Amino acid sequence: LWSVEAGELVMRGTNVVNDRGWLVTKESFRDCRLRFDIKLTKGCNSGIGIRMATNETGPLEIQLADDTSPELGAQVIRTCGCLYGLANRTVAPPLKPMGEWNCVEVDVIGEQLTSRINGTVVFDAKLDDIAKLTLSRRDITRREGHLGLQAAVGEVRFRNIEIEDLSQLVDGNQFAHSG
């Protein structure tokens, strides 16, 4: 499912459930920013796992997918940029033409989850507010966990992957300092 080609992390997934999975960080994160470039292909389906538990297979996920795919496009809580299965995106992402690189940035600070695609905020919500609407998902309010990239359907390429620890932030936008 995963390989490295010319400095790019490549996911080639099938639509077979047993062939799906997650590439997960060893380190656990509380407040962080995940930034990377992504190249989507026709019919692809991937995602970003947020604050995952060890060995979790159905985490809180920002969806990364081809919205023109008939399997995904009809359901708004499965479109690119949404919080998969839970909440719709704020706006449709300004994706570049299929096969071109897009920049994705996800911030998770306290209960706030914000994602940007090509500089546009496509999802911005308080996880605690979403948790109030769906009592069956206790993972929504988890404040620490691993980050993951999903292998699901089609080919997706990642490059320039960076994780920035933001745990020193105070009130979501100020750096803590002493003295």
Side-chain angles (χ1 to χ4, degrees):
L1 295 175
W2 294 98
S3 63
V4 176
E5 300 173 8
E8 299 170 7
L9 181 61
V10 181
M11 180 280 292
R12 287 188 182 93
T14 66
N15 205 13
V16 178
V17 174
N18 291 341
D19 284 346
R20 296 180 181 194
W22 292 89
L23 187 62
V24 180
T25 60
K26 288 182 180 179
E27 187 177 345
S28 186
F29 297 90
R30 189 179 64 200
D31 300 323
C32 64
R33 173 172 292 144
L34 174 62
R35 186 180 307 127
F36 57 88
D37 297 328
I38 187 170
K39 187 185 289 185
L40 304 172
T41 59
K42 187 156 183 60
C44 71
N45 178 1
S46 185
I48 307 163
I50 307 294
R51 293 179 175 160
M52 298 173 68
T54 302
N55 299 320
E56 186 171 8
T57 58
L60 198 59
E61 173 193 343
I62 294 289
Q63 175 81 326
L64 298 171
D66 171 14
D67 283 349
T68 66
S69 171
E71 295 177 13
L72 299 172
Q75 300 180 35
V76 294
I77 56 173
R78 291 186 176 189
T79 53
C80 192
C82 76
L83 188 59
Y84 183 83
L86 295 170
N88 195 10
R89 60 196 180 193
T90 309
V91 297
L95 292 170
K96 295 179 181 176
M98 199 61 63
E100 291 188 24
W101 290 102
N102 294 279
C103 180
V104 175
E105 190 172 285
V106 176
D107 294 344
V108 58
I109 303 169
E111 68 171 330
Q112 191 69 37
L113 176 61
T114 304
S115 66
R116 293 173 211 58
I117 298 179
N118 296 325
T120 298
V121 173
V122 296
F123 187 86
D124 190 32
K126 293 188 182 306
L127 295 173
D128 290 352
D129 291 344
I130 295 169
K132 291 173 190 170
L133 302 174
T134 176
L135 301 175
S136 63
R137 295 281 309 261
R138 290 183 291 168
D139 61 327
I140 296 172
T141 58
R142 187 181 297 139
R143 293 293 184 250
E144 186 170 332
H146 305 279
L147 297 173
L149 298 175
Q150 183 189 42
V153 178
E155 181 177 297
V156 179
R157 293 177 172 263
F158 300 86
R159 69 177 185 190
N160 301 325
I161 302 168
E162 300 173 1
I163 301 172
E164 183 180 356
D165 182 2
L166 301 177
S167 59
Q168 71 274 21
L169 290 182
V170 177
D171 296 328
N173 62 9
Q174 299 294 318
F175 284 95
H177 60 277
S178 59

